Amino acid sequence: RLEEQQNVAQAAQQMLLDKAEELKAREEEKKKLDVTLVSLSDSTIKIEREKAAAAEKLQFAEQEQARLVQERDEMLANLTERFKQKSAEVDKLSATLNESMEYKSEHDRKIK
């Protein structure tokens, strides 16, 4: 009967040792997972920062593009206006030249 109790006690002690080993292994695994989690958190923070910086660069590029488009449109409008003014000047000069030629032709006919 004593031997039986010793066997039960030994089995219980072995079971406690096994459980202690299992707990120790789980704690080690938890530490590894915690390190991995911290690493992933750091990576996530880094990615979020890079994403924010990229969004800022994109916004700046879009604003710059809009500014350049506006500048181009203004230059085109100015050139169009100048072209219209020059065309009007050419039309006036052409009309004046035509009048002068007609006058000269009439004058030349009167002389003959």
Side-chain angles (χ1 to χ4, degrees):
R1 171 131 188 158
L2 180 63
E3 189 177 322
E4 197 176 296
Q5 287 178 345
Q6 285 177 341
N7 287 342
V8 169
Q10 236 177 2
Q13 188 178 15
Q14 188 60 46
M15 190 165 41
L16 286 174
L17 289 173
D18 291 346
K19 289 291 179 184
E21 283 293 317
E22 185 181 327
L23 183 60
K24 186 176 177 183
R26 284 185 180 181
E27 286 175 357
E28 288 297 318
E29 186 64 26
K30 184 184 177 300
K31 284 179 187 176
K32 289 178 187 176
L33 290 173
D34 286 346
V35 168
T36 302
L37 182 61
V38 167
S39 177
L40 287 173
S41 294
D42 289 346
S43 296
T44 301
I45 290 168
K46 182 180 176 186
I47 289 169
E48 288 299 321
R49 285 182 185 153
E50 290 172 357
K51 184 176 156 186
E56 194 174 306
K57 287 178 183 177
L58 177 62
Q59 183 181 13
F60 176 78
E62 288 172 344
Q63 289 171 347
E64 185 65 10
Q65 181 182 15
R67 186 189 66 77
L68 291 172
V69 166
Q70 182 179 358
E71 190 176 298
R72 179 204 63 198
D73 291 347
E74 289 171 1
M75 289 174 73
L76 183 59
N78 288 338
L79 288 172
T80 301
E81 186 59 33
R82 284 177 52 199
F83 177 78
K84 287 177 184 176
Q85 290 172 357
K86 294 295 180 187
S87 291
E89 288 176 23
V90 166
D91 290 345
K92 286 179 186 175
L93 289 173
S94 182
T96 302
L97 180 61
N98 287 338
E99 288 175 16
S100 296
M101 295 294 276
E102 287 176 22
Y103 178 78
K104 184 181 182 308
S105 293
E106 286 178 29
H107 184 45
D108 287 349
R109 273 189 250 134
K110 287 181 183 177
I111 292 177
K112 291 182 181 177

